[in-house]
Amino acid sequence: MDDGTTTPERHAVPNASVGIDRGVKTAVVTSDGDFHDREFLTPGEASRYRRLQQQLARTDKGSANRAKVRARMNKIMGRVTARRGDFCAQLAHQITAKNAVVALEDLGTRKMTASASGTLAEPGRRVAQKRGLNRAILDKGWHRLELALSSAARYTGTQVVKVNPAYTSQRCSACGFVTESNGESQAVFRCKAAGCRYAAHADVNAAINVKHAAGHAVSACGDLAARRSLKQEPEGRATGRSLS
Ligand SMILES: [Zn+2]
């Protein structure tokens, strides 16, 4: 950690915060309504990779041929990993430069939610296939974005907050009403609360909810930060104490 980076005590834009969400179609969607995406796997690479997967299944374990097919697959995935790394680093840099607080869904919690509703294994698998290789790569990359954000945050003083993802897509970010999901992922969120006519891009609505959830988390962290800065004085004398 000690690489000489000095994290500013205060972000250059102290009041700016943003929520980010994994979009259904776009890689990353922010509460500001920004959509960030790139192609991680070209269509050519995707079909080549699928062909290699089939080839691999026909090879014998431990054979030279198997190793050769594996190496070809790894080469494609290596390129994907590099692109994903670039994408995450650039995006993290951009987002942390603009925001003092960045909120994102807690991946661990989301996984738990997914496995709880994972009784429909068959349709689930079909959905996964439909979503394709590119999407699977993206899902894997979410953790990487989280790491990139934390790392970029050290240069700007941005706070990265992880929030509970429960209801982020079903809740209306304008009035808080939770609309039962019909199981389909829809492009537009429409609030069903009486009197509320809020409608927005579904992913943007979710990202705004993530941002709101972080608002609560940050006020709790704010107390913590205050307590920590109070403690900094005795810590400053720690060197002296270690002599005794
Ligand atoms: Zn509403």
Side-chain angles (χ1 to χ4, degrees):
M1 275 310 252
D2 192 16
D3 55 0
T5 308
T6 349
T7 303
E9 285 212 8
R10 223 165 215 287
H11 192 276
V13 201
N15 294 320
S17 65
V18 71
I20 64 174
D21 193 45
R22 287 190 286 185
V24 174
K25 288 213 175 82
T26 313
V28 174
V29 179
T30 75
S31 53
D32 298 328
D34 294 332
F35 294 74
H36 302 275
D37 211 352
R38 78 164 279 184
E39 191 175 70
F40 297 98
L41 192 68
T42 67
E45 285 168 339
S47 57
R48 216 175 312 141
Y49 194 80
R50 268 185 227 109
R51 235 177 299 132
L52 287 167
Q53 269 179 322
Q54 288 160 5
Q55 272 181 39
L56 189 79
R58 289 192 297 265
T59 59
D60 296 320
K61 263 182 196 155
S63 69
N65 200 22
R66 191 179 180 88
K68 216 158 69 185
V69 175
R70 258 271 146 69
R72 284 190 190 135
M73 291 170 80
N74 287 345
K75 204 174 163 193
I76 295 176
M77 276 307 145
R79 275 193 295 233
V80 168
T81 306
R83 282 176 205 144
R84 196 169 56 196
D86 283 352
F87 173 79
C88 291
Q90 280 174 22
L91 187 59
H93 175 74
Q94 242 183 68
I95 290 178
T96 52
K98 281 199 282 185
N99 295 283
V101 175
V102 176
L104 67 163
E105 291 184 328
D106 193 323
L107 193 67
T109 328
R110 181 159 206 162
K111 253 193 208 143
M112 270 157 53
T113 329
S115 63
S117 60
T119 39
L120 305 163
E122 267 311 301
R125 200 173 304 154
R126 222 168 291 145
V127 167
Q129 272 173 4
K130 230 175 159 184
R131 283 161 81 212
L133 215 48
N134 229 337
R135 188 68 221 184
I137 288 161
L138 213 59
D139 286 350
K140 263 196 200 161
W142 187 247
H143 180 61
R144 186 129 181 202
L145 179 63
E146 202 182 299
L147 293 178
L149 283 168
S150 305
S151 146
R154 284 160 53 224
Y155 295 88
T156 58
T158 300
Q159 230 184 310
V160 179
V161 183
K162 290 205 270 177
V163 305
N164 186 337
Y167 304 115
T168 42
S169 15
Q170 293 102 305
R171 181 173 281 129
C172 170
S173 61
C175 75
F177 183 80
V178 174
T179 302
E180 278 298 314
S181 166
N182 55 8
E184 269 175 72
S185 54
Q186 292 189 332
V188 178
F189 174 89
R190 276 178 215 287
C191 183
K192 297 209 173 76
C196 180
R197 286 165 179 232
Y198 182 79
H201 189 289
D203 296 332
V204 176
N205 177 64
I208 296 173
N209 281 327
V210 169
K211 176 182 166 167
H212 287 172
H216 303 296
V218 169
S219 55
C221 287
D223 297 346
L224 215 119
R227 253 177 278 145
R228 211 181 289 146
S229 65
L230 277 177
K231 260 193 351 204
Q232 241 159 28
E233 274 206 273
E235 259 170 26
R237 273 182 254 127
T239 37
R241 208 186 303 147
S242 68
L243 288 172
S244 60

